[in-house]
Amino acid sequence: MQRQNLPPCPHCGGVEVYRHGKSKQRRIRYKCGYCKKTFCNRTGTIRINSHISDKQWKDSIRLFSLRGGISGADLSDFLGLERKAGQRINRKLRRQMARLPEPKLNGIVETDETTMTHKWVWGAVSRGTGEVVLKKVHKRNEDTLLPLITRYTEKDTHVFSDEWMGYLNLWNHRFHMTVNHSKSFVSEFSNQIHTNRQEGVWGLIKPFAIHTYRGIPKKKLNEYLKEFMFRYNLKDYNHRVKALISYCSSNFHTDWY
Ligand SMILES: [Zn+2]
């Protein structure tokens, strides 16, 4: 056993870590001198217990990061694996979306609600940064909407919405302007007051749910909203790939991409 300059043990954080032969899958194995547990470079990541090679994981991450996403079935076809394997990879990657930092919107923010899979979805998008927040909500009443807006926008934000009564008391918290959607989609007072950007977000996410994923399960709606936010908020493809790689790596495998 040879002492090396290695990162701490993923089990206990101990710093006395040694090389310890190879694992069953022929991966380099390490052993912790403190807790005596062994591990490899996949321990503590979503790639543990996966028979899929590093190359296939890299390809999956690249395809998942594409602007339009990829269905599990298409991913399986691309990798030459059975159908369920692609779905499993997609699901594992989608769960990493929970680790994304939640944006705090500022400047001019448009807000609106819609229904997806028979559930209400609230959305807000910043015209400045172009970041979006999407949340599944049970009702679209004031008690639901106001806390969401105050949580996800800065104090000096200008919020534009339609005249839905859930926003009636928003002026207490934020600078608030409305557009009467029964009359026109742009306010008669200023052509800047509209929610067309948020409408555009709905126009992107709905075909994505229907065509790429051929319908999404009701219970998984929140996960899919997060996945959409990942692609919309991280504008650059390489940025998305890099983020996913870091979520899927351990300290022992930071340079696998
Ligand atoms: Zn340990």
Side-chain angles (χ1 to χ4, degrees):
M1 280 200 293
Q2 192 185 2
R3 181 78 208 273
Q4 289 180 330
N5 241 349
L6 291 165
C9 163
H11 299 292
C12 71
V15 288
E16 253 183 71
V17 171
Y18 306 91
R19 283 281 290 273
H20 191 68
K22 294 245 174 130
S23 73
K24 256 187 253 165
Q25 287 94 17
R26 313 300 305 151
R27 293 195 186 103
I28 296 168
R29 191 167 56 182
Y30 304 92
K31 187 170 184 176
C32 172
Y34 183 74
C35 70
K36 311 287 183 211
K37 285 180 183 163
T38 59
F39 50 90
C40 68
N41 56 27
R42 290 189 174 198
T43 302
T45 74
I46 58 170
R47 294 178 296 130
I48 190 79
N49 299 333
S50 162
H51 297 291
I52 289 154
S53 70
D54 284 346
K55 163 92 173 53
Q56 286 171 316
W57 271 107
K58 282 174 207 171
D59 287 343
S60 307
I61 285 174
R62 286 203 191 104
L63 289 165
F64 186 90
S65 301
L66 289 175
R67 185 156 287 265
I70 186 165
S71 73
D74 286 350
L75 188 57
S76 304
D77 287 343
F78 180 88
L79 298 173
L81 300 168
E82 52 124 6
R83 193 183 178 95
K84 294 259 178 192
Q87 292 172 347
R88 225 162 23 230
I89 297 170
N90 250 2
R91 195 163 58 235
K92 283 183 177 176
L93 291 176
R94 190 173 307 121
R95 291 208 179 122
Q96 299 306 301
M97 305 289 104
R99 298 166 69 167
L100 285 169
E102 293 199 308
K104 190 105 173 158
L105 309 178
N106 56 23
I108 293 174
V109 170
E110 301 176 13
T111 179
D112 194 24
E113 325 83 54
T114 190
T115 53
M116 284 178 76
T117 66
H118 307 286
K119 297 268 180 204
W120 281 107
V121 174
W122 167 82
V125 62
S126 162
R127 277 190 206 166
T129 59
E131 284 178 305
V132 70
V133 180
L134 301 169
K135 292 279 157 192
K136 183 179 87 177
V137 290
H138 293 293
K139 288 176 182 167
R140 54 165 190 158
N141 56 8
E142 190 176 294
D143 290 347
T144 312
L145 296 176
L146 289 196
L148 280 174
I149 293 174
T150 47
R151 180 169 165 197
Y152 290 108
T153 63
E154 303 276 5
K155 193 112 188 90
D156 55 353
T157 304
H158 287 44
V159 180
F160 294 171
S161 74
D162 59 18
E163 293 191 327
W164 170 243
M165 61 179 189
Y167 300 116
L168 214 57
N169 289 316
L170 181 57
W171 63 271
N172 281 320
H173 308 276
R174 296 288 184 267
F175 185 83
H176 181 213
M177 299 293 271
T178 58
V179 47
N180 185 343
H181 274 173
S182 61
K183 278 192 197 152
S184 158
F185 281 96
V186 179
S187 168
E188 52 196 305
F189 303 111
S190 160
N191 62 4
Q192 290 300 306
I193 302 170
H194 58 77
T195 60
N196 291 349
R197 183 146 188 177
Q198 184 57 48
E199 303 291 342
V201 170
W202 301 141
L204 282 173
I205 192 169
K206 288 188 177 184
F208 166 74
I210 297 164
H211 299 297
T212 307
Y213 289 124
R214 292 154 197 113
I216 55 180
K218 216 180 263 188
K219 280 186 188 161
K220 299 284 166 68
L221 180 58
N222 250 336
E223 282 184 14
Y224 283 88
L225 293 176
K226 280 239 164 69
E227 185 183 338
F228 182 85
M229 283 166 64
F230 163 72
R231 296 210 184 85
Y232 196 90
N233 292 347
L234 298 181
K235 304 283 179 206
D236 181 51
Y237 166 76
N238 290 316
H239 194 163
R240 293 196 289 272
V241 171
K242 229 175 131 185
L244 261 182
I245 292 281
S246 73
Y247 294 159
C248 302
S249 317
S250 73
N251 287 338
F252 284 82
H253 212 180
T254 48
D255 57 345
W256 63 288
Y257 191 69

